[in-house]
Amino acid sequence: MIPMAPHEDPTPTGPTIGFDLDMTLIDSRPGIRATWVALSEETGMRIDADLIVSRLGPPLTEELAYWCPPERIPAMADRYREMYPTYGIEPTLPMPGVRETIAAVHAAGGRAIVVTAKYEPNAKLHLAHLGIEADAVIGDLWAEGKGQALREHGASVYVGDHVGDVRGARTADALSVGVTTGPCDAAELRAAGADVVLEDLTGFPAWLAGYVAERA
């Protein structure tokens, strides 16, 4: 967990909202692509980096299974994570509306937590680099595995771009808010069980205001 943010109230009066990271809060495609290219050049592993960034969401080890034999996956995963701070952080951009979204959660007296499949230290580097103030960061979790962290932190909403994020929200009995900024379109997110689908985070503050009002 990252240190308590300066604004954080130890007894929040608003909801705890969980967020996925890649393609929900940040557009990490340029940095991820650069890291895969560098890994390929270093190791001789033949990969299609453009294909990889078109389907972000599942864990690194699942993606590696397409490109190298099972016995090489642990070593390649370790090396990718070692290289990532060099190639992956600087090119990454915040998603439209992300700062307003986090500010809206805090203005409502709530907490904004990040629950992601990304390696936790690298997730924290992204947030620090972009100045995105999350109240907690929990990494290395995917799909239903995210549910335990969401429950432990008392999240009532989970926001993500992938059907795996919908499954994570469902596992935690949290409201699922999908955004269509990742590989899954609105129809896929709704079919997976998303309660709300937004085009991107720019619509989240207004949605949150209504959600908080209904709970008052």
Side-chain angles (χ1 to χ4, degrees):
M1 184 183 299
I2 63 174
M4 183 181 292
H7 58 264
E8 185 182 354
D9 185 337
T11 55
T13 57
T16 295
I17 310 294
F19 294 92
D20 176 51
L21 183 63
D22 292 318
M23 304 311 299
T24 298
L25 295 180
I26 63 174
D27 184 350
S28 51
R29 289 173 296 184
I32 289 174
R33 185 185 186 282
T35 308
W36 279 105
V37 169
L39 182 68
S40 176
E41 292 174 348
E42 178 180 286
T43 64
M45 185 169 62
R46 297 172 63 89
I47 64 153
D48 184 340
D50 293 318
L51 175 60
I52 290 172
V53 298
S54 75
R55 59 188 185 196
L56 298 180
L60 171 63
T61 51
E62 289 190 17
E63 185 60 53
L64 278 165
Y66 292 105
W67 309 107
C68 66
E71 64 271 16
R72 293 190 68 196
I73 289 176
M76 289 299 99
D78 287 346
R79 184 58 184 140
Y80 176 95
R81 289 166 177 152
E82 290 171 356
M83 298 173 76
Y84 193 88
T86 299
Y87 297 95
I89 303 301
E90 186 67 30
T92 293
L93 300 171
M95 280 293 189
V98 64
R99 301 188 194 286
E100 294 83 355
T101 287
I102 301 300
V105 174
H106 292 145
R111 300 176 69 244
I113 68 170
V114 174
V115 183
T116 175
K118 188 178 288 295
Y119 181 54
E120 189 172 306
N122 289 339
K124 291 177 178 179
L125 287 176
H126 274 304
L127 297 173
H129 178 253
L130 295 173
I132 298 172
E133 293 188 350
D135 298 294
V137 180
I138 307 95
D140 305 291
L141 296 174
W142 164 240
E144 289 84 357
K146 295 182 175 185
Q148 181 177 353
L150 293 169
R151 282 185 182 276
E152 288 176 353
H153 286 265
S156 59
V157 177
Y158 186 58
V159 185
D161 65 281
H162 198 282
V163 294
D165 299 322
V166 178
R167 301 203 308 269
R170 286 279 171 247
T171 302
D173 294 324
L175 195 77
S176 172
V177 176
V179 288
T180 59
T181 45
C184 301
D185 62 23
E188 291 175 286
L189 293 168
R190 290 193 182 99
D195 299 291
V196 177
V197 177
L198 303 173
E199 184 175 341
D200 56 32
L201 288 178
T202 61
F204 187 83
W207 176 84
L208 178 65
Y211 172 76
V212 171
E214 288 177 2
R215 287 162 49 101

